[in-house]
Amino acid sequence: KANGIAAEFVNSSLSREQVLQVFARLRQGSLKLLYVAPERLLQPQFLDRLQDVGVSLFAIDEAHCISQWGHDFRPSYLKIKELKDFLKQKTPVLALTATANKLVQKDIVEQLELENPQVFKQSFYRENLGYLVFHEQNKEQRLAQILTKAKGTSIVYVNTRKKTMDISNYLKSKGFSADYYHGGLNQQTRAKKQQEWIN
């Protein structure tokens, strides 16, 4: 939207009225892009509304999730092929990922039943990313040292909801501007926290 492209999304943060408004715009042809999570793709109400609309391109982001060999296997991604079949017309499919090795690429092609796909790929190397492993007694202290040197905004991934709050509180106690975010937060709180992080 910030670049002048007529784009919308449909997810659980929208009210029923807002979802209906998005689909009205889609039917009118005033939307260029519609973003949806794969979990929503096969909901009967979504499919009913999609039948009224001609889809000119079906793009799948994080396509490595389609593969049973991917590192982030999500069963809902396997159902994407059903939507592809539902569309019936020969809608071009674009599967995008930055993390698929040859085995995963082959599996994506097989799972989506792509015929003679064109593959565009570059090196996995990203100049702006680093991957380091530390074996630390005091992980929080090491995290604070790393974040002191980091420029810009950072994300810290942890394995429990409680840990998101613990780490956030620890970082705040060390003078960092920090907050926690996890799937157990209500929609309004998640949206507010995400916007604050973006800002």
Side-chain angles (χ1 to χ4, degrees):
K1 288 179 181 179
N3 287 293
I5 296 168
E8 284 293 348
F9 64 89
V10 172
N11 69 19
S12 59
S13 71
L14 299 181
S15 68
R16 187 178 188 293
E17 292 78 28
Q18 289 171 313
V19 171
L20 292 174
Q21 288 171 2
V22 168
F23 275 99
R25 289 188 61 201
L26 200 59
R27 274 193 307 279
Q28 294 163 1
S30 64
L31 278 186
K32 184 78 171 166
L33 293 170
L34 177 64
Y35 292 88
V36 295
E39 289 79 9
R40 182 170 293 267
L41 289 176
L42 294 173
Q43 291 178 351
Q45 302 97 330
F46 181 82
L47 291 176
D48 288 345
R49 293 185 183 118
L50 203 58
Q51 280 182 327
D52 301 338
V53 181
V55 178
S56 58
L57 175 67
F58 185 38
I60 304 159
D61 196 14
E62 306 295 350
H64 55 271
C65 295
I66 290 168
S67 173
Q68 61 182 325
W69 306 109
H71 72 274
D72 188 24
F73 181 71
R74 285 170 66 187
S76 56
Y77 269 82
L78 292 178
K79 296 185 181 280
I80 288 176
K81 189 209 163 287
E82 294 176 34
L83 178 65
K84 182 179 164 252
D85 294 342
F86 173 82
L87 293 173
K88 293 184 179 127
Q89 76 265 28
K90 286 283 187 182
T91 304
V93 175
L94 178 65
L96 304 163
T97 177
T99 56
N101 61 29
K102 287 184 180 179
L103 180 65
V104 172
Q105 290 173 30
K106 182 176 182 286
D107 199 31
I108 291 168
V109 169
E110 289 172 4
Q111 294 288 346
L112 292 175
E113 297 179 1
L114 301 177
E115 298 172 19
N116 303 314
Q118 290 185 294
V119 178
F120 303 92
K121 64 180 181 177
Q122 296 177 326
S123 168
F124 285 118
Y125 176 73
R126 296 293 180 270
E127 192 175 293
N128 61 331
L129 297 179
Y131 187 83
L132 305 168
V133 177
F134 299 100
H135 298 280
E136 298 288 336
Q137 291 293 339
N138 189 332
K139 293 178 183 178
E140 287 83 4
Q141 185 178 0
R142 181 65 167 150
L143 174 61
Q145 289 172 348
I146 291 169
L147 291 175
T148 299
K149 296 176 185 174
K151 295 177 182 173
T153 306
S154 300
I155 300 175
V156 179
Y157 288 98
V158 295
N159 60 356
T160 67
R161 292 175 180 181
K162 181 181 182 314
K163 193 75 172 166
T164 65
M165 293 181 273
D166 293 344
I167 292 290
S168 173
N169 290 333
Y170 172 78
L171 291 173
K172 285 179 189 174
S173 77
K174 295 296 179 186
F176 291 96
S177 171
D179 204 350
Y180 63 92
Y181 182 99
H182 58 69
L185 299 170
N186 66 48
Q187 296 168 3
Q188 200 171 18
T189 303
R190 282 201 324 253
K192 181 178 182 285
K193 287 178 183 261
Q194 185 173 353
Q195 193 58 53
E196 287 173 354
W197 182 76
I198 290 168
N199 292 343

